Amino acid sequence: MRAPLPILLALALIPGACQVCPPATKALVLAPNFQNAELAGQSFFAAMSCDDAGAEYRCLGEPLKDRYGATLDLYLLARPQIREDIGTTAGQAWRLKPLRMEQAEPGTLIWWGIGAREIVGLVMLPQYFYDVTESDGRRTGSILEQSPDALLQLEGRHLILDLADPALRSLGRNPDISDFHLGTEWKIADFRSPEE
Protein backbone atom coordinates (compact mmCIF):
# COMPACT_ATOMS: atom_id res chain seq x y z
CA MET A 1 0.00 0.00 0.00
CA ARG A 2 1.44 3.36 -1.02
CA ALA A 3 1.77 5.54 2.06
CA PRO A 4 0.47 9.09 1.64
CA LEU A 5 3.80 10.67 2.68
CA PRO A 6 2.60 14.29 3.15
CA ILE A 7 -0.07 13.02 5.55
CA LEU A 8 2.38 10.87 7.46
CA LEU A 9 4.86 13.70 7.78
CA ALA A 10 2.10 16.03 8.94
CA LEU A 11 1.08 13.54 11.62
CA ALA A 12 4.67 13.57 12.83
CA LEU A 13 4.14 17.22 13.81
CA ILE A 14 1.59 16.35 16.49
CA PRO A 15 2.98 17.60 19.79
CA GLY A 16 4.25 14.68 21.82
CA ALA A 17 3.48 13.51 25.30
CA CYS A 18 3.89 10.17 27.01
CA GLN A 19 3.22 7.16 24.78
CA VAL A 20 0.43 5.62 26.87
CA CYS A 21 -2.83 4.65 25.20
CA PRO A 22 -5.57 6.23 27.39
CA PRO A 23 -8.33 3.89 28.61
CA ALA A 24 -11.06 5.60 26.54
CA THR A 25 -8.86 5.30 23.45
CA LYS A 26 -8.18 1.61 24.14
CA ALA A 27 -11.93 1.04 24.57
CA LEU A 28 -12.53 2.56 21.13
CA VAL A 29 -9.93 0.20 19.64
CA LEU A 30 -11.63 -2.81 21.22
CA ALA A 31 -15.10 -1.65 20.11
CA PRO A 32 -14.65 0.65 17.09
CA ASN A 33 -17.59 2.82 16.14
CA PHE A 34 -18.37 3.14 12.43
CA GLN A 35 -21.86 4.70 12.83
CA ASN A 36 -20.83 8.01 11.31
CA ALA A 37 -17.82 9.56 9.58
CA GLU A 38 -16.46 11.34 12.65
CA LEU A 39 -16.62 8.32 14.96
CA ALA A 40 -14.99 6.15 12.30
CA GLY A 41 -12.12 8.64 12.03
CA GLN A 42 -11.72 8.64 15.81
CA SER A 43 -11.60 4.83 15.71
CA PHE A 44 -8.75 4.94 13.18
CA PHE A 45 -6.70 7.42 15.22
CA ALA A 46 -7.35 5.40 18.38
CA ALA A 47 -6.04 2.25 16.67
CA MET A 48 -2.97 4.15 15.48
CA SER A 49 -2.34 5.48 18.99
CA CYS A 50 -2.62 2.03 20.53
CA ASP A 51 -0.39 0.48 17.84
CA ASP A 52 -3.07 -1.99 16.71
CA ALA A 53 -2.53 -2.83 13.02
CA GLY A 54 -5.61 -5.02 12.71
CA ALA A 55 -7.85 -2.30 14.12
CA GLU A 56 -6.26 0.28 11.78
CA TYR A 57 -6.91 -1.99 8.80
CA ARG A 58 -10.58 -2.48 9.75
CA CYS A 59 -11.04 1.31 9.41
CA LEU A 60 -10.02 1.28 5.74
CA GLY A 61 -12.83 1.11 3.18
CA GLU A 62 -13.01 -1.39 0.36
CA PRO A 63 -12.38 1.25 -2.37
CA LEU A 64 -9.15 2.32 -0.64
CA LYS A 65 -8.03 -1.30 -0.23
CA ASP A 66 -8.85 -2.03 -3.88
CA ARG A 67 -7.01 1.04 -5.16
CA TYR A 68 -3.77 0.07 -3.42
CA GLY A 69 -4.28 -3.71 -3.56
CA ALA A 70 -4.03 -3.65 0.21
CA THR A 71 -4.70 -6.94 1.89
CA LEU A 72 -4.00 -7.17 5.61
CA ASP A 73 -0.69 -8.91 4.78
CA LEU A 74 0.44 -6.02 2.57
CA TYR A 75 -0.72 -3.47 5.11
CA LEU A 76 1.31 -5.24 7.80
CA LEU A 77 4.38 -5.18 5.55
CA ALA A 78 4.01 -1.45 4.80
CA ARG A 79 3.03 -0.49 8.34
CA PRO A 80 6.54 -0.31 9.94
CA GLN A 81 7.60 2.24 7.34
CA ILE A 82 4.37 4.16 7.81
CA ARG A 83 4.84 4.29 11.58
CA GLU A 84 8.50 5.28 11.13
CA ASP A 85 7.42 8.13 8.87
CA ILE A 86 4.93 9.24 11.51
CA GLY A 87 7.56 8.96 14.24
CA THR A 88 7.04 8.44 17.94
CA THR A 89 4.05 10.78 17.87
CA ALA A 90 1.88 8.10 16.21
CA GLY A 91 0.98 7.16 19.77
CA GLN A 92 -0.58 10.60 20.16
CA ALA A 93 -2.92 10.42 17.13
CA TRP A 94 -5.86 10.07 19.54
CA ARG A 95 -5.37 13.78 20.32
CA LEU A 96 -6.48 14.82 16.81
CA LYS A 97 -9.90 16.48 16.77
CA PRO A 98 -12.27 17.07 13.85
CA LEU A 99 -11.97 20.72 12.80
CA ARG A 100 -14.28 20.98 9.81
CA MET A 101 -16.29 18.84 7.44
CA GLU A 102 -16.97 19.33 3.73
CA GLN A 103 -18.24 17.39 0.76
CA ALA A 104 -15.42 16.11 -1.44
CA GLU A 105 -15.15 13.53 -4.18
CA PRO A 106 -15.96 10.74 -3.47
CA GLY A 107 -17.47 11.37 -0.02
CA THR A 108 -17.28 13.44 3.16
CA LEU A 109 -13.93 15.05 3.95
CA ILE A 110 -13.15 15.67 7.61
CA TRP A 111 -10.09 17.75 8.48
CA TRP A 112 -8.40 16.68 11.72
CA GLY A 113 -5.92 18.68 13.75
CA ILE A 114 -4.66 20.09 17.01
CA GLY A 115 -6.01 23.47 18.06
CA ALA A 116 -6.87 25.30 14.82
CA ARG A 117 -4.07 23.68 12.78
CA GLU A 118 -5.26 21.16 10.19
CA ILE A 119 -2.96 18.14 10.03
CA VAL A 120 -4.75 15.48 8.00
CA GLY A 121 -7.97 15.01 6.05
CA LEU A 122 -9.87 11.74 5.94
CA VAL A 123 -12.29 11.17 3.07
CA MET A 124 -15.04 9.01 4.53
CA LEU A 125 -17.60 6.91 2.67
CA PRO A 126 -20.56 4.86 3.84
CA GLN A 127 -20.00 1.17 3.18
CA TYR A 128 -23.11 -1.02 3.05
CA PHE A 129 -23.19 -4.65 4.14
CA TYR A 130 -25.34 -7.56 5.24
CA ASP A 131 -24.70 -10.41 7.68
CA VAL A 132 -26.72 -13.60 8.07
CA THR A 133 -26.21 -15.84 11.10
CA GLU A 134 -27.60 -19.38 11.09
CA SER A 135 -28.76 -21.09 14.28
CA ASP A 136 -25.59 -23.22 14.31
CA GLY A 137 -23.48 -20.04 14.41
CA ARG A 138 -22.29 -20.04 10.80
CA ARG A 139 -22.15 -16.54 9.33
CA THR A 140 -22.46 -15.35 5.77
CA GLY A 141 -22.16 -11.77 4.67
CA SER A 142 -20.81 -9.39 2.13
CA ILE A 143 -20.27 -5.78 1.17
CA LEU A 144 -23.14 -4.36 -0.90
CA GLU A 145 -22.60 -2.31 -4.04
CA GLN A 146 -25.60 -0.07 -3.33
CA SER A 147 -27.45 1.49 -0.46
CA PRO A 148 -29.84 -0.82 1.46
CA ASP A 149 -32.80 1.42 0.56
CA ALA A 150 -32.28 0.44 -3.10
CA LEU A 151 -32.84 -3.21 -2.10
CA LEU A 152 -36.01 -2.74 -0.07
CA GLN A 153 -39.61 -2.45 -1.26
CA LEU A 154 -42.69 -1.88 0.84
CA GLU A 155 -45.74 -3.77 -0.43
CA GLY A 156 -48.68 -3.27 1.87
CA ARG A 157 -47.56 -4.46 5.27
CA HIS A 158 -44.62 -6.45 3.85
CA LEU A 159 -41.08 -5.23 3.56
CA ILE A 160 -39.38 -7.16 0.76
CA LEU A 161 -35.62 -7.43 0.42
CA ASP A 162 -34.28 -8.15 -3.07
CA LEU A 163 -30.74 -9.33 -2.38
CA ALA A 164 -28.82 -11.27 -5.01
CA ASP A 165 -25.35 -12.36 -3.87
CA PRO A 166 -23.43 -15.56 -4.70
CA ALA A 167 -22.41 -15.83 -1.03
CA LEU A 168 -26.03 -16.65 -0.17
CA ARG A 169 -25.68 -20.05 -1.90
CA SER A 170 -23.82 -21.28 1.18
CA LEU A 171 -27.08 -21.04 3.16
CA GLY A 172 -28.68 -24.01 1.44
CA ARG A 173 -32.35 -24.42 0.50
CA ASN A 174 -34.04 -24.01 3.89
CA PRO A 175 -31.64 -22.19 6.19
CA ASP A 176 -32.42 -21.81 9.88
CA ILE A 177 -31.58 -18.11 10.20
CA SER A 178 -31.24 -16.76 13.73
CA ASP A 179 -30.07 -13.25 12.86
CA PHE A 180 -30.01 -10.96 9.84
CA HIS A 181 -28.34 -7.56 9.79
CA LEU A 182 -28.42 -4.99 7.00
CA GLY A 183 -26.31 -1.96 7.78
CA THR A 184 -24.00 0.90 7.00
CA GLU A 185 -20.49 1.51 8.29
CA TRP A 186 -18.38 4.59 7.58
CA LYS A 187 -14.84 3.81 6.41
CA ILE A 188 -11.78 5.70 5.15
CA ALA A 189 -11.81 6.11 1.36
CA ASP A 190 -8.75 8.35 1.04
CA PHE A 191 -6.31 10.66 2.82
CA ARG A 192 -5.70 14.35 2.12
CA SER A 193 -2.98 16.73 3.23
CA PRO A 194 -3.66 20.42 3.94
CA GLU A 195 -1.34 21.39 1.04
CA GLU A 196 -3.52 19.68 -1.61
Side-chain angles (χ1 to χ4, degrees):
M1 182 167 139
R2 182 179 62 121
L5 191 55
I7 306 296
L8 301 176
L9 293 175
L11 283 174
L13 300 174
I14 300 171
C18 62
Q19 291 288 327
V20 176
C21 190
T25 302
K26 185 65 176 171
L28 190 54
V29 173
L30 295 173
N33 190 333
F34 302 119
Q35 289 180 334
N36 63 48
E38 188 175 305
L39 290 171
Q42 288 173 346
S43 296
F44 175 73
F45 292 126
M48 182 176 277
S49 295
C50 295
D51 196 20
D52 189 323
E56 290 169 25
Y57 185 76
R58 284 190 296 277
C59 295
L60 305 180
E62 295 304 312
L64 180 65
K65 293 175 188 175
D66 290 344
R67 186 167 57 250
Y68 292 108
T71 60
L72 179 57
D73 304 22
L74 291 175
Y75 182 73
L76 290 174
L77 290 173
R79 190 170 178 269
Q81 182 61 49
I82 293 170
R83 293 192 69 81
E84 184 178 317
D85 290 343
I86 294 171
T88 57
T89 55
Q92 296 297 311
W94 63 271
R95 296 181 63 220
L96 291 171
K97 302 293 183 216
L99 301 178
R100 66 184 171 97
M101 188 180 302
E102 61 189 63
Q103 290 306 304
E105 192 58 36
T108 301
L109 173 60
I110 302 178
W111 289 100
W112 297 79
I114 301 287
R117 191 173 107 240
E118 293 177 350
I119 294 176
V120 64
L122 298 182
V123 178
M124 308 299 291
L125 276 180
Q127 187 167 282
Y128 311 109
F129 69 95
Y130 76 90
D131 280 316
V132 177
T133 305
E134 295 181 73
S135 59
D136 62 5
R138 288 184 295 164
R139 294 182 67 183
T140 303
S142 186
I143 301 295
L144 298 171
E145 296 295 322
Q146 53 191 336
S147 168
D149 62 345
L151 304 172
L152 297 169
Q153 297 175 8
L154 185 61
E155 291 184 6
R157 296 182 340 181
H158 298 278
L159 184 62
I160 299 170
L161 172 66
D162 183 12
L163 180 60
D165 186 355
L168 293 171
R169 290 184 189 143
S170 68
L171 294 176
R173 291 195 124 193
N174 296 307
D176 186 10
I177 296 174
S178 62
D179 188 47
F180 178 81
H181 187 82
L182 186 62
T184 304
E185 293 182 321
W186 284 83
K187 300 288 180 122
I188 300 171
D190 205 353
F191 297 89
R192 295 280 198 287
S193 68
E195 296 80 34
E196 291 178 6

